[in-house]
Amino acid sequence: MISFLQIDLPALLVGTLAALVCALIGNFLMLTRQSMLGDAMGHVVLPGIVIAFMIAASTATWVMLTGAFAAALFASLLVEFLRRSAGVEPSAALGAVFTAMFALGVLLLEQSGVARTSFDVHHILFGNIETAIWPAATGLSSLFDANALANLPPQVARLGFGLFIVALIVILLFKELRVVSFDPVFARTIGISPRLIGAIVVALAALAAVVSLSATGVILLVAMMVCPPATARMLTDDLKTQVLLSLAFALASGLLGYAIAVLLPLGLGYEISLGAAGTIAVVAGVFQLIAMIAGPKRGSPRNA
Amino acid sequence: MTEFREILAVLLLQAGYNTTVVMLGAAALGAATGTVGVFAMLRRRALVADAVAHATLPGVALGFITAVALGFSGKSLPFLLAGSALTAVLSALCIQWIVTHTRLNEDTAIASVLATFFALGVVLLTVIQTLKTGGQAGLDVYLLGATAGMLRSEAITLAAFSFIAAAVVAAFFKELTLVSFDTEYARAHGFPVRVLDLLVLALVLAVIVIGLRVVGLVLIVALLIIPPAAARFWTNHASRMTIVSAIIGAASAYGGAALSAVRPDTPTGPVIVLLAFAILLVSVCFGSARGLVIRALGTQKLPRRVS
């Protein structure tokens, strides 16, 4: 029990919270045809996080957030410059900027010595939710002990904060988000700016990327931004149902994926380990595959 | 200062036979990606190429496992190339299937295939890390690329494949150019647009698989995207653009390989990509056909001529 509280619970919390925040905003990225922007965001914030860490020598939430937002802002200005001023084709501009910034982040990580102290390239690429531990837990009573809870890994609070902000804004702006997602032209006629709402979606995606990246790695965040919303889209036409279903699939992927990663090697009796972040992402992909083959709303709406 | 002199020596091919072969191999690879990239970009394959590149990871892992199971070294190039080609093709087919059989848009299809295949590769890699066979560390180079410790035979193989890819582009240059620049005209005149599209995709797959060892699968797509984008600023002519793009790709890969020969602990891929991006920024400013400086001068001249 104590080992569950110390090792499995914090990893489960980190994995499922990241899955939820990414899936929530992923719904709107998908509907505005910007799923690959979620992927780009996961790459772009890396140099921001590394530079912020080098300057402030701290992994405090506000340091990471500031660095990541500065990087996201810089990247979008650079993409705009290449597109508007220089006339580079949009997807090429995006591709050039996000690969170059990820390259810069990797080199800074390798050269600055940050890699050996805090996080390294493998953790960023593969995920490292197993490193979230809660040594202060001494029993079930710790769950109600403020001192012990304060010693939960900092990623948990960071992800909880991100999920709260994203959920709050999605609930407040749900009507606007729905109109802009499905009918941007109509949105403009009733005085809702698709550009403003689009910018808010991108900013929330950046927030989700920041709180998830150092906690779970880029792969879990990209998978969760696209797979649960796509799965839910195969099952319903109603946006509210779709969002709720996507959260359910994200939660199920987190729990099932972590359980498989921990229990499968034990069950087989081999001394192997499965990376939990990768396993969770694969489970989300399998859900999507099943929904694409058998979901009631899988085909195009025109045929249905 | 000594480091600068060291880099200069390597750049001028004075760093020993093996390093020289590896650098020339990298340059050949850069030229091939630059050439193929022109058509991939014109047919809007940038994001598909990124997904396919990430989807090679499970193939690399499966190649390693198969090679070990058959009693070969896990790092033997033929197994890893065959495995990565297999999952690359599979991922391209998956994207196509999702777009034609579900109502998900192409962007969602690409992102979900990228994420799921890469995640599967990550899981297989974590399994391999705990196998007791040795040689696992060698797989790391396929993520971010490395030229340090590359065998001469590997460099020659990659250069040969790169040359073949460039030769295929040269052989079908007229058809590819026509389809890319004016699809409707090409279709009206009976050119097999679908076949040529598949040829572009096949070339993209080929250069990605070839480039994994040097640039790594995370960043290889940059070598397809950036050289053509930069070349566009130097010329308006299709064949000249392809040549300029090839030169930019080759220069980036050559320079990146040289820098990481001096600093073997530096992954090669990120260095190559940053060099290419620097060339892009220089091209944007000073390109002789569409660079900002030229265009600024051009707009000043125009009113005088009109009046």
Side-chain angles (χ1 to χ4, degrees):
Chain A
M1 191 65 216
I2 290 177
S3 82
F4 174 82
L5 284 175
Q6 288 184 336
I7 296 168
D8 297 311
L9 182 72
L12 267 173
L13 274 176
V14 166
T16 50
L17 282 173
L20 288 172
V21 66
C22 292
L24 181 56
I25 195 61
N27 281 288
F28 302 100
L29 286 174
M30 176 179 77
L31 293 173
T32 49
R33 297 175 177 265
Q34 299 189 95
S35 293
M36 283 302 279
L37 196 70
D39 176 62
M41 210 53 92
H43 289 82
V44 151
V45 296
L46 181 62
I49 293 181
V50 178
I51 292 172
F53 179 80
M54 287 161 70
I55 294 173
S58 137
T59 52
T61 305
W62 69 269
V63 173
M64 302 277 109
L65 281 175
T66 312
F69 267 109
L73 190 65
F74 177 74
S76 48
L77 290 177
L78 202 53
V79 170
E80 280 301 292
F81 165 73
L82 288 176
R83 281 178 54 190
R84 299 269 153 99
S85 314
V88 177
E89 197 248 324
S91 71
L94 185 68
V97 169
F98 89 74
T99 50
M101 289 193 63
F102 192 71
L104 181 67
V106 169
L107 280 186
L108 286 173
L109 261 184
E110 297 272 334
Q111 298 295 316
S112 64
V114 176
R116 279 165 291 281
T117 58
S118 180
F119 33 57
D120 69 20
V121 176
H122 279 96
H123 285 168
I124 296 294
L125 284 173
F126 295 170
N128 60 336
I129 67 177
E130 290 91 341
T131 58
I133 51 169
W134 189 24
T138 50
L140 276 181
S141 59
S142 300
L143 287 173
F144 307 101
D145 177 359
N147 284 329
L149 286 176
N151 285 319
L152 269 171
Q155 300 96 301
V156 174
R158 209 177 295 162
L159 284 162
F161 166 76
L163 182 59
F164 173 74
I165 299 286
V166 174
L168 186 71
I169 296 180
V170 165
I171 291 169
L172 287 178
L173 293 179
F174 192 77
K175 198 185 74 197
E176 287 81 359
L177 284 167
R178 170 156 50 195
V179 178
V180 169
S181 298
F182 289 105
D183 199 344
V185 180
F186 177 65
R188 207 171 290 126
T189 63
I190 59 171
I192 299 171
S193 160
R195 279 197 66 156
L196 178 65
I197 298 293
I200 292 173
V201 169
V202 172
L204 291 180
L207 177 65
V210 174
V211 294
S212 311
L213 184 64
S214 56
T216 69
V218 70
I219 184 58
L220 186 71
L221 103 91
V222 176
M224 284 306 153
M225 280 191 181
V226 59
C227 292
T231 311
R233 182 108 173 96
M234 300 291 93
L235 303 177
T236 178
D237 282 329
D238 178 59
L239 180 61
K240 200 176 283 178
T241 316
Q242 179 195 311
V243 171
L244 292 175
L245 277 175
S246 75
L247 293 177
F249 281 115
L251 192 62
S253 310
L255 297 176
L256 189 61
Y258 187 78
I260 290 174
V262 171
L263 297 178
L264 188 68
L266 284 178
L268 293 173
Y270 287 124
E271 263 190 68
I272 57 169
S273 77
L274 296 176
T279 312
I280 293 172
V282 171
V283 170
V286 171
F287 278 140
Q288 188 191 340
L289 180 65
I290 295 170
M292 288 189 304
I293 293 170
K297 304 281 184 185
R298 61 187 184 278
S300 89
R302 286 181 298 276
N303 305 338
Chain B
M1 205 56 217
T2 48
E3 196 164 65
F4 177 74
R5 222 171 285 148
E6 237 178 300
I7 292 173
L8 198 67
V10 176
L11 277 175
L12 296 173
L13 298 175
Q14 292 167 347
Y17 184 62
N18 224 25
T19 311
T20 305
V21 172
V22 168
M23 284 171 57
L24 292 177
L29 167 74
T33 56
T35 314
V36 172
V38 169
F39 300 100
M41 288 315 102
L42 289 169
R43 301 301 287 157
R44 298 183 184 278
R45 296 277 184 205
L47 298 177
V48 176
D50 194 27
V52 166
H54 281 76
T56 56
L57 185 59
V60 169
L62 287 174
F64 181 93
I65 293 171
T66 314
V68 169
L70 294 175
F72 292 91
S73 157
K75 279 189 283 182
S76 62
L77 198 59
F79 283 96
L80 300 180
L81 288 188
S84 53
L86 181 76
T87 51
V89 171
L90 196 61
S91 71
L93 292 175
C94 282
I95 294 172
Q96 193 57 42
W97 181 83
I98 293 176
V99 170
T100 49
H101 284 82
T102 76
R103 63 174 176 180
L104 296 175
N105 55 50
E106 192 186 20
D107 200 70
T108 309
I110 293 170
S112 55
V113 166
L114 184 158
T116 308
F117 273 76
F118 189 73
L120 189 62
V122 167
V123 172
L124 289 174
L125 272 195
T126 53
V127 171
I128 289 175
Q129 303 277 324
T130 46
L131 291 176
K132 290 184 176 60
T133 56
Q136 291 96 330
L139 286 185
D140 271 13
V141 304
Y142 287 89
L143 284 165
L144 292 167
T147 42
M150 211 166 136
L151 298 175
R152 192 182 308 166
S153 61
E154 288 181 317
I156 292 171
T157 310
L158 299 184
F161 275 119
S162 306
F163 182 75
I164 293 172
V168 171
V169 171
F172 293 96
F173 189 78
K174 196 184 76 185
E175 288 83 356
L176 290 172
T177 314
L178 197 58
V179 168
S180 304
F181 283 97
D182 198 343
T183 314
E184 288 316 307
Y185 178 87
R187 193 171 283 136
H189 280 71
F191 283 93
V193 174
R194 269 187 62 92
V195 175
L196 289 167
D197 257 350
L198 278 178
L199 179 64
V200 171
L201 191 59
L203 284 166
V204 168
L205 287 171
V207 292
I208 284 173
V209 170
I210 299 164
L212 293 183
R213 179 67 176 81
V214 174
V215 190
L217 56 90
V218 178
L219 291 169
I220 179 75
V221 71
L223 264 196
L224 283 164
I225 296 176
I226 299 177
R232 190 71 190 81
F233 289 92
W234 296 97
T235 172
N236 290 317
H237 197 273
S239 56
R240 266 177 236 145
M241 182 177 149
T242 311
I243 292 167
V244 174
S245 177
I247 292 171
I248 292 173
S252 314
Y254 185 82
L259 283 176
S260 78
V262 176
R263 291 186 148 198
D265 56 329
T266 310
T268 315
V271 180
I272 292 177
V273 171
L274 284 179
L275 274 177
F277 193 73
I279 295 176
L280 171 65
L281 290 182
V282 170
S283 308
V284 165
C285 295
F286 303 109
S288 57
R290 300 204 309 167
L292 291 178
V293 173
I294 285 287
R295 275 194 291 174
L297 294 175
T299 47
Q300 275 169 8
K301 265 182 212 155
L302 194 60
R304 252 177 278 152
R305 248 183 279 144
V306 172
S307 61

